[in-house]
Amino acid sequence: MDSSNSGATPEIIGKALYRTMVRIRAFENAAEAASQGGVSAYGQQAAGSAKVRGPLHLSTGQEAVPAGVCAHLRVSDYLTSTHRGHGHTLAKGADLVRMMCELFGKATGFNGGKGGSMHIADFSVGMLGANGVVAAGLPIAVGAAHAQKVLKKNGDITVCFFGDGAINRGPFLEALNWARVYDLPVLFVCEDNRWSATTASGPMTAGEGASARAASMDIAATQVDGNDVFSVHETAGRLVREVRDGGGPRLLHALTYRVKGHVSVDLAAYRDPAELAAALETDPIARARGHLLSHGVSAATLDAIENAARDEVDTALAIADAAPWPDASAAFSDVQTIGAGQWH
Amino acid sequence: MALNKDLSYSEAAVLAVQREMEADARVVVLGEDVGRGGIFGQYKGLQQAFGAERVIDTPISEAAIMGAGVGMALAGLRPVVEMRVVDFALCGMDELVNQAAKNRFMFGGQGRVPLVARLPGGIWDASAAQHSQSLEAWFAHLPGVVVVSPSTPQDNYSLLRAALQCGDPVVYIEHKTLWGLRGDVDEDMAVPLGKARRVREGNAITIVSWSKQVQACAAACDALAAEGIEADLIDLRTLWPWDRETVLASCARTQRLLVVHEAVQVAGFGAEIAASAAEATGCRVARLGAPRIPVGYAPVLEAQSRVGAEAVVAAAKKLMG
Ligand SMILES: Cc1ncc(C[n+]2csc(CCOP(=O)(O)OP(=O)(O)O)c2C)c(N)n1
């Protein structure tokens, strides 16, 4: 998905970014529908009929950040993600069908049904996994970047997504310090969606947040309107280039918004409806559409991109539905080689 | 055959890491103070030999050390992760328990985490409650990791090499007060993970132990032999997977099993072995470990957590009676 060096025209890049965003949106809308009644969180009972079960964290409204950042990445670059990782995974180039299969828990999913949404991953495109533990991806990312340095994979980088809530955990501090100390090729991307589960992040965070903390460790940080995919794309392009060229770690602080609740059954009744209404005005997909239309891309072209995404997701749903469950014996595989599973 | 006369437990460990680093350029070491040889000398000379890029001094950041080890392993290195003492590994527990141990399974086999986490354990004289713990049972409880606890220089050499060649995360627990223990080390001797060592043969009772406690058990066996009780002493060496075959065969023969460990007795790993042996052979079982108290500082307090040879003798005789 590296569009930075391809000599692509703004129109081609714009359509590619748009396509990434609408694919993420279509995928998550479908996953959300398939999860109805399926989450045993917040006192709700899990219904056996739900096809996507367990906590489903949607990134609706945040699509511009992974789209704009990952457009600059190569397969050989690494990516670590959060519990809200569908967008990152799709944007890094993972196969949408196999992702849906994983959300359905099927044997044909990327993790053979062992991980589900919270652990969505595609190592074959360098996507080293979503993570169920807040801030856990940060030390793993600096380790991957450290390996790139030791193994002299010059020019390859690691990108690490995390939320604004994650900056209050120790691993954030430890990882940023580590990245600077060893001057590693890592780009930290804070998706600042203003919320940490059901608590607003601001009142829980001392000081100015991610950018300020990075600056205190001599890591150049740039804030960007995370709902403007073109700004994200441009800024990330510069930062990725700097990191690739051996400039050391950088941080991108993307201001965005979590449109849905924390998990798919969370109606987010705790937040001011006016806040959501205001945020919806800046929906990144609608904005990108407006921008592209005003720059001469036809509505028909954009509609076609949207329809193709919906068709692709419909196909994925059908395939995931028909796919086989993992064999029960798979519960005992990939545990460890020596002393795996149970005794005998 | 390369026989190294009279190496210490820590020199044996250095040699093991050195041989693996020579054999495999992917092996790297990371941890606090490893550049100067590590606080127990267990990395002595390695940074001079292999450079600061492969023997990496780190900030005091246990979560990042362990987490970076996971990332390094996923990206193609084979890191040795030094935690200084097992007590500080608790600051990197998410990285070990939720990340390293589960990665391979959770991602459906897409990733492997071949790291060796060295967590020196056990009572460290006069070091009180936060530098003297024996937490091996915690790790044995954790699917996804191998747990090793060597008691001799030879085993520390051979098992550390085996751990580094293993494709999965290994929790490697050296004893904080065994570093100076000396012995000959045959460089060509391979010790597979999961195989126990029979320290002494006898038919009266089976005694199973590991790490430093093997010494107390050996002394107890001498005392028991003087009274005509010949014990079968087994050093487990690897706690997960533990050598069921050797232990159960011995128990079936002696019909008596005593498990001895330095860790707190309740909910300890001794319970696992005792229960398994009783289920499989119907033998009589007993466990001997520390009382469920934090390790104290004053000698008289610390002594309360120690399981000495006399206690082993007494427990063995009770089981005989
Ligand atoms: C260590 C840890 N503590 C708590 C949680 C529960 N939890 C899951 S997501 C979340 C909020 C995270 O907020 P943020 O990092 O801003 O990411 P967002 O959900 O907003 O994308 C919490 C508290 C967790 N998964 N891990």
Side-chain angles (χ1 to χ4, degrees):
Chain A
M1 280 295 292
D2 184 359
S3 60
S4 51
N5 300 317
S6 57
T9 64
E11 184 182 331
I12 290 174
I13 293 170
K15 284 194 292 193
L17 294 172
Y18 191 72
R19 176 168 179 269
T20 303
M21 290 197 293
V22 299
R23 285 177 86 231
I24 296 170
R25 179 77 55 96
F27 179 87
E28 291 200 317
N29 282 348
E32 182 182 18
S35 81
Q36 292 310 317
V39 185
S40 53
Y42 298 97
Q44 308 239 357
Q45 207 60 33
S49 58
K51 305 231 159 124
V52 173
R53 306 177 68 250
L56 181 76
H57 304 88
L58 301 166
S59 65
T60 310
Q62 304 182 193
E63 297 89 346
V65 189
V69 171
C70 295
H72 302 285
L73 302 185
R74 313 165 177 159
V75 168
S76 56
D77 293 325
Y78 291 125
L79 181 71
T80 67
S81 172
T82 67
H83 53 286
R84 210 176 290 288
H86 309 136
H88 311 145
T89 312
L90 275 168
K92 188 71 170 73
D95 181 66
L96 185 148
V97 173
R98 290 195 64 193
M99 282 178 63
M100 192 63 83
C101 290
E102 186 59 35
L103 264 58
F104 275 54
K106 297 301 183 75
T108 48
F110 275 117
N111 313 3
K114 288 173 171 175
S117 160
M118 256 192 304
H119 306 303
I120 196 74
D122 178 4
F123 282 51
S124 74
V125 296
M127 199 287 171
L128 301 181
N131 211 305
V133 180
V134 168
L138 285 126
I140 295 174
V142 297
H146 207 136
Q148 286 170 321
K149 189 173 177 188
V150 171
L151 294 169
K152 312 241 177 305
K153 299 204 165 163
N154 298 329
D156 285 351
I157 71 168
T158 299
V159 173
C160 171
F161 283 99
F162 56 95
D164 45 307
I167 72 169
N168 290 324
R169 283 206 65 231
F172 167 81
L173 174 89
E174 295 192 16
L176 261 66
N177 182 62
W178 189 287
R180 176 79 278 178
V181 163
Y182 302 106
D183 241 345
L184 299 177
V186 56
L187 174 63
F188 298 104
V189 182
C190 179
E191 290 181 305
D192 188 343
N193 65 12
R194 292 205 251 161
W195 285 88
S196 304
T198 67
T199 302
S201 302
M204 293 296 137
T205 306
E208 300 294 313
S211 314
R213 289 181 193 186
S216 80
M217 281 187 262
D218 191 30
I219 293 176
T222 311
Q223 270 199 13
V224 66
D225 177 349
N227 277 19
D228 176 355
V229 73
F230 303 105
S231 298
V232 175
H233 183 259
E234 188 184 322
T235 308
R238 174 173 62 78
L239 298 179
V240 164
R241 222 165 24 249
E242 289 170 7
V243 174
R244 260 196 224 299
D245 291 346
R250 296 285 188 277
L251 186 139
L252 178 64
H253 186 170
L255 304 170
T256 180
Y257 193 75
R258 190 195 75 197
V259 169
K260 303 279 180 172
H262 174 52
V263 285
S264 65
V265 291
D266 169 19
L267 300 176
Y270 42 82
R271 81 179 159 196
D272 184 351
E275 179 183 303
L276 173 63
L280 288 175
E281 302 279 309
T282 69
D283 179 79
I285 294 180
R287 274 171 77 179
R289 190 180 167 97
H291 176 96
L292 290 168
L293 287 172
S294 70
H295 282 74
V297 179
S298 73
T301 302
L302 298 175
D303 289 346
I305 291 174
E306 286 175 30
N307 291 336
R310 270 195 292 270
D311 288 349
E312 194 186 357
V313 166
D314 285 345
T315 305
L317 285 170
I319 292 174
D321 214 10
W325 292 106
D327 194 272
S329 66
F332 296 89
S333 65
D334 288 320
V335 177
Q336 58 187 102
T337 298
I338 298 171
Q342 290 181 328
W343 282 109
H344 310 298
Chain B
M1 190 191 94
L3 183 67
N4 298 268
K5 287 270 179 210
D6 198 35
L7 284 195
S8 72
Y9 185 83
S10 81
E11 287 162 349
V14 175
L15 188 62
V17 178
Q18 183 191 330
R19 289 288 176 261
E20 287 302 316
M21 291 187 81
E22 286 162 358
D24 188 343
R26 297 170 303 173
V27 177
V28 298
V29 172
L30 63 157
E32 298 153 21
D33 300 319
V34 294
R36 288 211 174 74
I39 57 168
F40 302 110
Q42 75 274 43
Y43 299 97
K44 207 167 164 205
L46 293 177
Q47 196 182 58
Q48 287 84 337
F50 296 100
E53 203 169 61
R54 287 185 68 195
V55 180
I56 304 160
D57 279 313
T58 67
I60 306 163
S61 302
E62 283 73 16
I65 297 167
M66 189 67 78
V70 175
M72 286 177 173
L74 291 175
L77 294 177
R78 299 182 79 96
V80 177
V81 174
E82 176 57 47
M83 282 283 120
R84 215 175 175 98
V85 288
V86 70
D87 317 67
F88 302 161
L90 304 187
C91 302
M93 209 60 162
D94 168 60
E95 289 67 26
L96 180 54
V97 175
N98 287 322
Q99 312 300 332
K102 296 186 175 59
N103 191 288
R104 182 174 165 190
F105 179 86
M106 192 164 79
F107 295 120
Q110 293 186 76
R112 294 289 294 268
V113 183
L115 69 75
V116 177
R118 288 174 77 179
L119 324 177
I123 297 177
W124 195 13
D125 298 343
S127 299
Q130 297 172 341
H131 289 69
S132 282
Q133 295 172 85
S134 298
L135 301 178
E136 63 269 24
W138 292 26
F139 303 110
H141 196 73
L142 181 64
V145 297
V146 173
V147 183
V148 181
S149 198
S151 70
T152 67
Q154 178 71 60
D155 282 355
N156 205 13
Y157 171 83
S158 299
L159 287 168
L160 193 44
R161 292 202 70 171
L164 270 157
Q165 289 165 19
C166 166
D168 291 316
V170 178
V171 169
Y172 198 86
I173 305 176
E174 288 147 298
H175 199 283
K176 290 163 194 149
T177 60
L178 281 181
W179 297 108
L181 180 71
R182 307 194 77 84
D184 294 346
V185 173
D186 176 355
E187 281 191 43
D188 301 323
M189 185 188 285
V191 175
L193 300 173
K195 273 272 158 259
R197 175 173 70 102
R198 174 168 272 119
V199 182
R200 176 179 185 121
E201 292 194 33
N203 287 320
I205 181 172
T206 302
I207 300 180
V208 171
S209 193
W210 55 89
S211 191
K212 190 170 182 206
Q213 216 53 44
V214 172
Q215 293 178 353
C217 291
C221 287
D222 288 342
L224 288 166
E227 297 187 36
I229 301 170
E230 292 294 340
D232 213 29
L233 176 57
I234 296 169
D235 173 0
L236 221 43
R237 301 201 280 205
T238 303
L239 270 68
W240 197 270
W242 61 279
D243 189 347
R244 256 175 95 93
E245 217 178 346
T246 299
V247 171
L248 297 188
S250 175
C251 292
R253 200 154 38 79
T254 65
Q255 280 301 308
R256 289 178 187 83
L257 168 67
L258 173 64
V259 192
V260 181
H261 54 62
E262 189 175 313
V264 164
Q265 181 175 308
V266 296
F269 196 61
E272 171 63 28
I273 299 171
S276 299
E279 281 166 5
T281 70
C283 71
R284 293 180 61 189
V285 298
R287 298 168 287 159
L288 191 57
R292 192 171 181 277
I293 52 175
V295 177
Y297 166 68
V300 66
L301 303 180
E302 188 186 83
Q304 301 308 306
S305 289
R306 290 191 186 277
V307 179
E310 314 81 71
V312 178
V313 169
K317 282 192 180 165
K318 192 169 165 212
L319 202 56
M320 295 299 299

